Amino acid sequence: MAYLDLYSGPWTIAEANHLLRRTSFGCSQDTLNEALNLGLSGTISKLFEVNPMPEPPLKYEFDGDERDEVNDPDANYGETWVNAPAYPTLPTQQETNKAVRARNRSLYAWSFIQMQESGISIREKLTLFWHNHFVSVNTNPHREFYYINTLRENALGNFKELTKLITIDPNMLVYLSGNQNTNAAPNENYARELLELFTLGKGEAVGNGDYTNYTEDDIVAIAKILTGWRVKSLLDPDTLTPIFSNFNHTKGSKTLSHRFNNAVIEENGEDEYKDLIDIIFQQEECSKFIVRQFYKWFVNSEISDDIELNVIAPLANNLKANNYEIAPVLKTLLSSNHFFESTFCMIKSPIDLMLSVTKSLLFSGPTATIKEQYDYALVLYSACYDLNQDLFHHPDVAGWKAYYQSPLFYKSWVNSFLLPKRLDYCRIIVTGGDLVIDDITYTIPPLIPVLTIASKIENATDPNVLIKSLSKLLFNYEVSDEQVVSLKEFLIPGLPDFEWTVEYSEYLADNTNTTLVISVDKKLRSLISIMVQMSEFQIM
């Protein structure tokens, strides 16, 4: 049976869980049931549905003079700030900075809300993939939103066309110095990363300035091809539209090296960068390069010679045959025998981990007001930042180490410093408590509705059934009988099974009895808080 043959094994909660965890961010019992009813083919189709774009982020903090309030008169509470001037003009620099930072917080919280509410859809997971692939760090929320929106709009689309859009994206032009790239002083920053990190990879050094996939002379020539692009001042109303200055563009034809078959890029003004990208995407290595990135993101960090031959190469051929449309290739990979054999080999990223808790356990932060909703989403953002996955602020242009740094790869997410935090943050989401990040204390109430979760489990009066059902939801398989015995110590410490059966049955018969409600809630919360700290919950 070939690696990429359509998976023909059983379609159970384990397979649905595996697919949904890898392609989205955790899943609830209801989502799993929906996937089970849809079957593999139906779930894949739903994952790749093109849904309407989300409404933009909102201003969620109040205007005022208090220390914890902001003054941003260009945007009203509950409305988006995206249409306001990119750089608010306020009486003092301090007030301006405060308004900009408030918009930053809104964007970061909103991004977590999108992931939390994504349902059966691969778009948010792919948006995060492209965010880690086309790394672009900035501090202006408008440019950040424009950039991430470009990634989201094109997440399921065409790799070549997305590369063209990102090349002249204002956020990217500023981040990798394209904004400073002129005929008088060509800047090679973006040219180098375009080849090394975005499209081809460097390859092995085979000579002085000569690598498997390109040469240093190609960097020089490509920098000249890309000259002339500009980003207007933040004070300009049109600051989010890149502009081309023919005066600052290097004129004449540019010749690439033998690595590109000595291709000649003719003078073509503001469309010259497109001609360059078309040439890069003709290289055989380009399709293999991006397929390897997809493989590391969705399947496994280890790519053996066998995987290179039987998975990477045929998918790369498929990608090139489809003119770099990514959906057909990913559907093939995610529906394959090989994908469903590649389980328990990935340590969850901080974002995957935190959202596995919230989505699997029906987390519902306070939603009475927009401010409450955004405040709690910002707590998730802050926790992930503290666990070394800072959305919008990668450690460097290569992205998060877990997806490129050999031999650790995913193990980068856990060490003696990070692992205790990972476990503690998972616990606090279930039990409530104080979460301390950068000397700021966030007091989290117990927001996981443990009673509702238990109510969805048939025969939850049996503690063995309860624990095994929860393990199927939280892990990818049932726990062993020995583990069940150990876990019962957190549900009914030192007591026989019937004690739980009696108490839970009494609660079901009278859920208005406050004493019973508190007691059952406490026992369930104790059990689940331990389960989300188990090693089985850390992997997927």
Side-chain angles (χ1 to χ4, degrees), residues 195-196 200-216 258-259 285 289 292 406:
L195 296 183
E196 182 175 344
L200 294 175
K202 195 171 188 177
E204 300 295 325
V206 295
N208 187 22
D210 186 9
Y211 313 104
T212 310
N213 299 326
Y214 61 87
T215 72
E216 287 297 321
H258 62 290
R259 296 296 177 193
E285 186 59 28
F289 177 79
R292 290 189 197 103
S406 175

Side-chain angles (χ1 to χ4, degrees), residues 153-170:
E153 281 183 321
N154 296 276
L156 286 74
N158 188 284
F159 177 36
K160 186 198 301 185
E161 295 308 310
L162 178 56
T163 305
K164 290 177 181 178
L165 291 170
I166 285 297
T167 296
I168 59 168
D169 174 80

Side-chain angles (χ1 to χ4, degrees), residues 6-18:
L6 181 66
Y7 174 72
S8 56
W11 180 247
T12 70
I13 193 170
E15 288 75 32
N17 224 330
H18 176 59

Side-chain angles (χ1 to χ4, degrees), residues 367-386:
T367 57
T369 66
I370 294 168
K371 188 174 189 311
E372 287 181 332
Q373 182 186 27
Y374 274 64
D375 276 341
Y376 276 89
L378 195 65
V379 171
L380 292 178
Y381 163 81
S382 300
C384 292
Y385 143 76
D386 198 41

